[in-house]
Amino acid sequence: MKIIIPESEIELTAVRSAGAGGQNVNKVSSAVHLRFDVAASSLPAWLKARLLQMKDQRLTRAGELVIKAQQHRSQDMNRAEALGRLHDIVEAAAHVPKQRRPTKPTRASKKRRIEGKIRRGRVKALRGRVGSDD
């Protein structure tokens, strides 16, 4: 399922990157902060609920998703990476895992398991001192 997030709901701000960067590090704002208010978005209600239930440190108490991208030297590439990460998070939340139906082991599998345990027990019983008079 492809989910489209309108750009008007995404707030992108350019900030200075952390770490080493040479002469431009104090002049160029190449890192990007992406803020996405999940509660106020136009996403379906079930998807909003799944996003807000995520145990993710990027999700604030106010229900805002904050992503910082500073991997690349160019602001455009960092912007694209932040948007890509946002889409990945939303896609992951949209994926509902299939319900597991509990099953019981078959009679044959139980028999194979017990036979294996008996065989292993026999091998272990043969271990020990050779010729001991105990």
Side-chain angles (χ1 to χ4, degrees):
M1 174 196 305
K2 189 71 178 164
I3 294 154
I4 298 165
I5 302 169
E7 284 199 31
S8 59
E9 296 178 0
I10 300 169
E11 180 188 332
L12 291 164
T13 51
V15 293
R16 289 195 186 129
S17 262
Q23 294 175 330
N24 276 347
V25 74
N26 295 322
K27 294 185 283 187
V28 180
S29 298
S30 62
V32 172
H33 264 186
L34 181 145
R35 296 178 100 66
F36 177 65
D37 191 358
V38 176
S41 68
S42 62
L43 295 174
W46 64 270
L47 185 54
K48 284 185 198 180
R50 284 183 62 87
L51 278 167
L52 291 171
Q53 287 173 351
M54 283 191 329
K55 301 276 189 265
D56 198 326
Q57 62 192 16
R58 295 170 290 192
L59 193 64
T60 64
R61 287 196 179 123
E64 204 172 43
L65 197 60
V66 180
I67 298 171
K68 183 175 184 180
Q70 60 182 9
Q71 190 73 31
H72 306 284
R73 287 179 58 157
S74 89
Q75 191 181 40
D76 289 334
M77 289 178 75
N78 283 329
R79 180 188 316 261
E81 184 184 342
L83 289 169
R85 278 199 250 157
L86 173 67
H87 285 289
D88 290 344
I89 291 168
V90 173
E91 293 283 330
H95 176 261
V96 181
K98 197 168 87 170
Q99 192 81 31
R100 182 190 178 276
R101 295 209 327 265
T103 57
K104 292 183 178 176
T106 62
R107 183 179 292 158
S109 69
K110 286 182 192 175
K111 185 179 176 189
R112 280 192 304 270
R113 179 179 150 270
I114 299 300
E115 285 173 356
K117 287 170 79 74
I118 291 168
R119 195 176 315 117
R120 192 79 191 137
R122 286 187 191 134
V123 168
K124 288 187 172 192
L126 293 172
R127 293 180 189 160
R129 289 184 180 243
V130 177
S132 68
D133 294 339
D134 287 356

